[in-house]
Amino acid sequence: MARILSLLQSQTLVTLTGVRRTVVCRMSLEARARELFATAVEAVQPDAVVRRGVERKDDSLVIDGRTFALRNNLHLVGFGKAVLGMAAEAERIAGDHLVKGVISVPHGIQETLRCHGKSQMLLKDNSRIKVMEGAKHNLPDGDAQYAAQCIKQLASELTEKDLLLVLISGGGSALLPAPIPPISLEEKHDVTRRLAGAGATIQELNTVRRALSLLKGGGLAHVAHPAQVVALILSDVIGDPLDLIASGPTVRTDVWPEEVISILQSYKLSDSLPASVKEVLGRGSPRWENIEEESAGKGGVLNTVIGSNSIALKCAGRRARELGFRPVVLSGDVCGDVKAVSRLYGLLARFASSREEPAPELAAEMLRLGPEVGVESWDLCRTMQVLDEGRKEGWGATCLLAGGEPTVELTGKGRGGRNQELALRVGLELRGMELPPKGPMFLSGGTDGQDGPTDAAGAITDGGLWEEARAQGLDVEGTLKDNDSFTFLSKVSGGQRLLSPGLTGTNVMDVHMLLLPSIPIRIPNDPEADDRSLRYM
């Protein structure tokens, strides 16, 4: 591992443009952290991503470099938690060329957005788009199933002259339930619930869902043929896999019943399947018989991701530079248990803040942890190289950015969420380090504005968290055991460490940031190596 780092140190991994200089910013470290999180969220607002992804040129739309003619032939469907705001902006851009539309959105979302002052995400009174609410508590229900039927009906009536714009965001799968007859919604839900309870992987779950659904796995695009289909996707899945986001209704995936039966047998569920499910799986052929005809037809499908975690991080990085930081993106694929994730961030903070050459054991442990939390060894090596060069050459304060969706092992019944627990654990990892503004600060926040069953999106912590909690008589270990991070963070610092932006109207998973101020380093080989050899860079 040491050899890997030494090889990387011989390469120039960061190119600086212009003259290196320190940007003076009078905002506190915490204020800048909150500003950067707000910037990340603003970059992936539903209306903003549609404006960036769709350009109107006279009587045509330009999307992902392709041009689509508008002749009063545009239809729109959508499903997901952020689709309402996406639809409002899409209708504004399309104008009178939009014939009609149907969107399936969460129960109560319109009233919630009104209460949170998000009127720009609501449709106008004279909108040609029908809004249908369903999937209460994020579970498919009869209302969502009826919305899916209306979406299917609209798509099935299109011709080769039509253009179907499909808006997709997180939560779309529950808002587009369309089980293959004679399977009922309850039967389909029961099969997937039992499969998940048996320990099936997300890939296996999606394979089964697609096999039992009319619209998932490319089913919606199939129904819309021969129309041209363009899907605009706001991703809430690590790596932005098109077939997993809302179960890929516009991404054709061949599913063979034999494969599904094999999965169900491996979890000993095949004998207890409802008769309707056995009937559908017993048909023994792909669900679409005219795939060859469809491929040769005039219709086509364009899937494009217009909003994602990586876009949020990129925009936050630009703002970080304006606020006096040198931005470094670690990874947008952080996952795994928050215990391991917090340990990695703590090690990175100590590595970057060391006044002398960091111990080799630090790098070795980070490289061991990386794969466990979804961070590639190359990304870790690159990041360590950049942090090491910055520490030695005096590049000033650094903003380390990352994103993803870690997990929490539930061992208690307290209130909290993965972002709050991660921030709490990182604060404990920073114990003993200098406090801001001379020491590091960590932020973790959910871009949807909600972290677990709480009003907070996440929290901001630093190395003083432990002592402050002890001074207030708070039980840190008990808090973690009971998964009660929200209650803990509401008490420590009077709740000021909590991140509470309110409902944001979007969701591209979580944003993590580790702010690392300039540190005094010891100049090596100085014959007068004493306190005078410590200088701030």
Side-chain angles (χ1 to χ4, degrees), residues 16-90:
L16 297 178
T17 58
V19 179
R20 187 181 298 161
R21 61 189 178 89
T22 300
V23 179
V24 178
C25 182
R26 297 185 182 278
M27 295 172 66
S28 70
L29 206 60
E30 180 179 336
R32 283 185 279 176
R34 292 180 183 274
E35 169 70 14
L36 292 175
F37 179 73
T39 299
V41 171
E42 185 63 29
V44 288
Q45 286 293 293
D47 53 349
V49 298
V50 172
R51 276 196 300 274
R52 281 198 306 267
V54 180
E55 181 183 1
R56 173 77 179 267
K57 282 189 176 181
D58 299 324
D59 287 335
S60 64
L61 293 180
V62 179
I63 301 172
D64 199 19
R66 293 178 58 180
T67 300
F68 301 93
L70 293 176
R71 302 186 184 92
N72 299 103
N73 60 339
L74 179 65
H75 298 73
L76 183 150
V77 297
F79 30 91
K81 296 179 180 179
V83 155
L84 193 57
M86 295 171 73
E89 186 63 22

Side-chain angles (χ1 to χ4, degrees), residues 117-136:
K118 300 280 185 179
S119 58
Q120 77 277 10
M121 294 188 187
L122 299 174
L123 298 174
K124 304 297 184 184
D125 292 338
N126 61 347
S127 173
R128 298 181 180 182
I129 301 171
K130 182 179 181 180
V131 180
M132 306 183 72
E133 296 188 355
K136 199 170 185 178

Side-chain angles (χ1 to χ4, degrees), residues 365-431:
E365 186 174 355
M366 284 190 281
L367 287 170
R368 180 186 63 78
L369 278 172
E372 187 178 333
V373 298
V375 181
E376 298 286 346
S377 296
W378 168 255
D379 285 327
L380 264 175
C381 290
R382 168 184 54 80
T383 300
M384 285 188 280
Q385 171 66 12
V386 173
L387 293 176
D388 195 46
E389 288 179 354
R391 186 181 59 83
K392 290 177 178 177
E393 300 181 21
W395 287 349
T398 298
C399 174
L400 183 66
L401 292 160
E405 201 167 77
T407 56
V408 173
E409 180 186 0
L410 295 178
T411 56
K413 298 182 179 180
R415 294 183 67 200
R418 61 178 179 267
N419 286 284
Q420 292 167 81
E421 183 156 330
L422 176 60
L424 194 164
R425 288 183 178 277
V426 172
L428 300 181
E429 290 287 343
L430 300 179
R431 180 184 176 187

Side-chain angles (χ1 to χ4, degrees), residues 30 57 177 216 230 278 307 334 341 375 418 477 484:
E30 180 179 336
K57 282 189 176 181
K216 293 180 173 64
V230 178
K278 290 181 179 179
V334 177
V341 176
V375 181
R418 61 178 179 267
E477 293 302 323
D484 202 21

Side-chain angles (χ1 to χ4, degrees), residues 214-524:
L214 284 170
L215 299 179
K216 293 180 173 64
L220 178 59
H222 172 73
V223 169
H225 181 77
Q228 172 70 55
V229 176
V230 178
L232 304 180
I233 302 167
L234 184 60
S235 171
D236 70 334
V237 181
I238 286 177
D240 307 329
L242 297 178
D243 62 324
L244 293 187
I245 302 168
S247 298
T250 55
V251 182
R252 189 167 69 198
T253 306
D254 294 333
V255 178
W256 290 84
E258 293 82 359
E259 180 184 3
V260 178
I261 292 171
S262 176
I263 292 172
L264 294 168
Q265 286 177 338
S266 68
Y267 292 100
K268 297 180 172 55
L269 295 176
S270 57
D271 292 338
S272 59
L273 293 175
S276 59
V277 174
K278 290 181 179 179
E279 178 186 334
V280 169
L281 296 179
R283 292 170 185 172
S285 62
R287 51 185 170 162
W288 305 326
E289 297 179 0
N290 61 335
I291 288 179
E292 291 185 8
E293 279 183 35
E294 187 173 314
S295 300
K298 292 185 178 180
V301 181
L302 171 64
N303 290 293
T304 180
V305 175
I306 59 173
S308 65
N309 190 269
S310 61
I311 291 173
L313 296 181
K314 184 183 297 184
C315 292
R318 284 199 294 264
R319 182 60 178 146
R321 193 175 295 280
E322 295 171 356
L323 293 178
F325 293 103
R326 181 174 52 97
V328 179
V329 176
L330 170 64
S331 172
D333 300 335
V334 177
C335 58
D337 194 277
V338 291
K339 299 186 190 72
V341 176
S342 63
R343 178 61 179 163
L344 178 62
Y345 287 137
L347 292 170
L348 281 166
R350 294 184 184 279
F351 180 91
S353 302
S354 177
R355 296 182 177 183
E356 299 177 348
E357 191 69 26
E361 291 78 13
L362 276 181
E365 186 174 355
M366 284 190 281
L367 287 170
R368 180 186 63 78
L369 278 172
E372 187 178 333
V373 298
V375 181
E376 298 286 346
S377 296
W378 168 255
D379 285 327
L380 264 175
C381 290
R382 168 184 54 80
T383 300
M384 285 188 280
Q385 171 66 12
V386 173
L387 293 176
D388 195 46
E389 288 179 354
R391 186 181 59 83
K392 290 177 178 177
E393 300 181 21
W395 287 349
T398 298
C399 174
L400 183 66
L401 292 160
E405 201 167 77
T407 56
V408 173
E409 180 186 0
L410 295 178
T411 56
K413 298 182 179 180
R415 294 183 67 200
R418 61 178 179 267
N419 286 284
Q420 292 167 81
E421 183 156 330
L422 176 60
L424 194 164
R425 288 183 178 277
V426 172
L428 300 181
E429 290 287 343
L430 300 179
R431 180 184 176 187
M433 299 187 69
E434 286 194 87
L435 303 183
K438 294 183 178 181
M441 176 173 281
F442 179 77
L443 177 149
S444 182
T447 54
D448 61 354
Q450 298 173 310
D451 187 39
T454 76
D455 297 328
I460 303 174
T461 56
D462 55 53
L465 182 67
W466 172 269
E467 290 298 334
E468 190 173 349
R470 192 176 68 169
Q472 290 184 230
L474 299 176
D475 181 7
V476 178
E477 293 302 323
T479 292
L480 293 174
K481 186 176 181 180
D482 200 31
N483 302 118
D484 202 21
S485 54
F486 177 74
T487 303
F488 176 90
L489 291 163
S490 296
K491 294 178 180 178
V492 73
S493 303
Q496 294 182 15
R497 292 181 181 270
L498 287 171
L499 187 64
S500 304
L503 181 72
T504 65
T506 191
N507 182 21
V508 293
M509 302 181 291
D510 306 334
V511 168
H512 307 153
M513 61 183 74
L514 184 61
L515 303 186
L516 302 159
S518 302
I519 60 168
I521 65 170
R522 187 172 298 279
I523 303 172

